[in-house]
């Protein structure tokens, strides 16, 4: 437990410092076609599950909202949105980025592994690039399942970001990605990032060495969730630059539905 707490403190310190730079990335997405791409994906996934419902009738929880990208585009589409993050600096950036929508989003400082919501509170949970970084992802999934309503939908977008630290073949592919970025002259995703610090954190992250999304499917299944992952979602949501930067770590979608208790 103390090991997890120490890792969590390191995480908070790192992401607090990086909040401004990470916010710049979200602002670029909000000002580009990526806003439309992600809006269409989220809207389709949610409304396909809740056919016949109106967005404003659905309560959505954005876990690890960071600078607010998901929360903002969901609120703009009319959903009732709550966004949580463990770092105060990220929440400040999120509120700033939300602009006139800030009053329509319930931003709260909260631990993704210890959600302070009653059971069965939300129709939908969304998250992007969060679970890989959590000190106790199994407990996080238990909490997320708990606060979902029966029949509720979980959409978790993530990747095996640092598998290369534990797998030689993955390391070779990772190095090839870096060469391809230099060769094609696309924007380097690692520019402005303290790679050494990130790798130090990733070495302590339990999911860095796991085979995902198989791990996620098993854990969520044990919590009574019906899971259907999409390992090709990157083909829809990633830009050309993202595909070149991260060819060896394609984004996947873990789509899970909470069982309805009779």
């Amino acid at each position: 437990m103390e090991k997890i707490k120490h890792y969590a403190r390191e995480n908070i310190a790192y992401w607090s410092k990086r909040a401004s730079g990470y916010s710049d990335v979200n602002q670029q997405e909000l000002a580009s076609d990526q806003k439309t791409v992600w809006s269409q994906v989220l809207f389709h996934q949610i409304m396909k599950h809740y056919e016949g419902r109106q967005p404003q009738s659905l309560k959505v929880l954005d876990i690890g909202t960071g600078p607010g990208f998901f929360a903002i585009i969901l609120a703009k589409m009319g959903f009732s949105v709550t966004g949580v993050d463990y770092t105060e600096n990220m929440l400040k950036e999120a509120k700033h980025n939300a602009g006139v929508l800030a009053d329509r989003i319930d931003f709260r400082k909260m631990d993704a592994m210890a959600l302070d919501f009653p059971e069965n509170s939300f129709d939908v949970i969304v998250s992007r690039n969060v679970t890989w970084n959590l000190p106790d992802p199994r407990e996080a999934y238990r909490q997320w399942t708990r606060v979902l309503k029966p029949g509720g939908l979980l959409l978790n977008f993530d990747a095996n970001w640092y598998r290369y630290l534990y797998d030689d073949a993955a390391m070779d592919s990772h190095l090839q990605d870096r060469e391809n970025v230099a060769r094609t002259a696309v924007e380097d995703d690692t520019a402005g990032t303290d790679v050494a610090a990130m790798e130090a954190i990733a070495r302590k992250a339990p999911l860095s060495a796991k085979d995902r999304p198989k791990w996620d499917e098993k854990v969520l299944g044990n919590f009574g969730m019906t899971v259907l992952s999409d390992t090709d979602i990157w083909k829809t949501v990633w830009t050309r630059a993202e595909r070149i930067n991260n060819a060896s770590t394609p984004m996947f979608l873990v789509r899970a539905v909470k069982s309805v208790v009779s």
Side-chain angles (χ1 to χ4, degrees):
M1 181 60 69
E2 187 57 38
K3 183 178 180 181
I4 290 176
K5 289 181 179 179
H6 178 70
Y7 174 56
R9 288 193 293 269
E10 288 183 330
N11 254 357
I12 294 170
Y14 175 83
W15 290 109
S16 293
K17 291 180 181 178
R18 197 177 165 194
S20 178
Y22 200 49
S23 183
D24 289 343
V25 175
N26 274 198
Q27 289 171 17
Q28 291 172 16
E29 288 182 306
L30 288 168
S32 73
D33 291 340
Q34 283 301 94
K35 178 178 69 174
T36 302
V37 169
W38 277 106
S39 295
Q40 291 175 343
V41 167
L42 291 174
F43 189 84
H44 172 73
Q45 288 286 341
I46 295 171
M47 301 316 296
K48 178 177 68 174
H49 183 69
Y50 285 107
E51 188 174 358
R53 295 278 296 273
Q54 295 299 313
Q56 58 267 27
S57 74
L58 297 171
K59 296 182 66 176
V60 183
L61 175 62
D62 177 20
I63 297 180
T65 189
F69 180 67
F70 270 8
I72 292 166
I73 61 177
L74 286 163
K76 191 169 185 177
M77 289 187 286
F79 294 98
S80 175
V81 183
T82 299
V84 300
D85 202 278
Y86 204 22
T87 57
E88 199 67 54
N89 287 356
M90 284 292 187
L91 291 173
K92 289 179 181 178
E93 295 291 342
K95 292 172 184 177
H96 171 75
N97 292 338
V100 295
L101 291 173
D103 291 338
R104 289 174 47 189
I105 303 171
D106 183 11
F107 285 117
R108 301 194 193 186
K109 185 175 182 294
M110 198 175 297
D111 186 345
M113 302 174 296
L115 297 176
D116 189 22
F117 297 113
E119 293 182 6
N120 309 326
S121 293
F122 295 94
D123 300 288
V124 183
I125 289 176
V126 297
S127 188
R128 180 174 68 152
N129 299 336
V130 173
T131 30
W132 75 267
N133 190 41
L134 295 176
D136 192 347
R138 185 182 302 274
E139 177 59 21
Y141 271 149
R142 189 186 73 80
Q143 286 285 321
W144 301 7
T145 303
R146 180 183 65 80
V147 303
L148 263 182
K149 295 178 182 180
L153 176 66
L154 167 65
L155 300 173
N156 183 18
F157 301 85
D158 209 352
N160 291 288
W161 294 116
Y162 290 92
R163 184 72 183 275
Y164 66 83
L165 295 173
Y166 294 89
D167 184 286
D168 290 341
M171 174 60 83
D172 291 340
S173 297
H174 169 71
L175 294 176
Q176 185 62 58
D177 287 348
R178 306 316 338 132
E179 291 181 13
N180 291 340
V181 168
R183 178 176 54 80
T184 57
V186 298
E187 184 176 357
D188 189 344
D189 281 356
T190 65
T193 302
D194 187 339
V195 175
M198 282 303 304
E199 289 183 345
I201 289 174
R203 285 189 177 92
K204 299 176 183 178
L207 290 186
S208 293
K210 300 296 184 182
D211 183 10
R212 303 182 66 201
K214 290 182 180 179
W215 181 92
D216 306 70
E217 293 166 356
K218 181 178 180 180
V219 171
L220 286 167
N222 289 338
F223 289 140
M225 301 280 277
T226 300
V227 190
L228 182 62
S229 297
D230 182 354
T231 56
D232 289 327
I233 194 67
W234 62 274
K235 296 178 181 178
T236 300
V237 299
W238 272 1
T239 63
R240 175 176 177 269
E242 286 174 316
R243 295 182 184 203
I244 294 173
N245 271 273
N246 307 301
S248 63
T249 52
M251 175 169 277
F252 54 78
L253 165 61
V254 177
R255 186 181 188 277
V257 177
K258 184 174 178 178
S259 63
V260 178
V261 180
S262 58

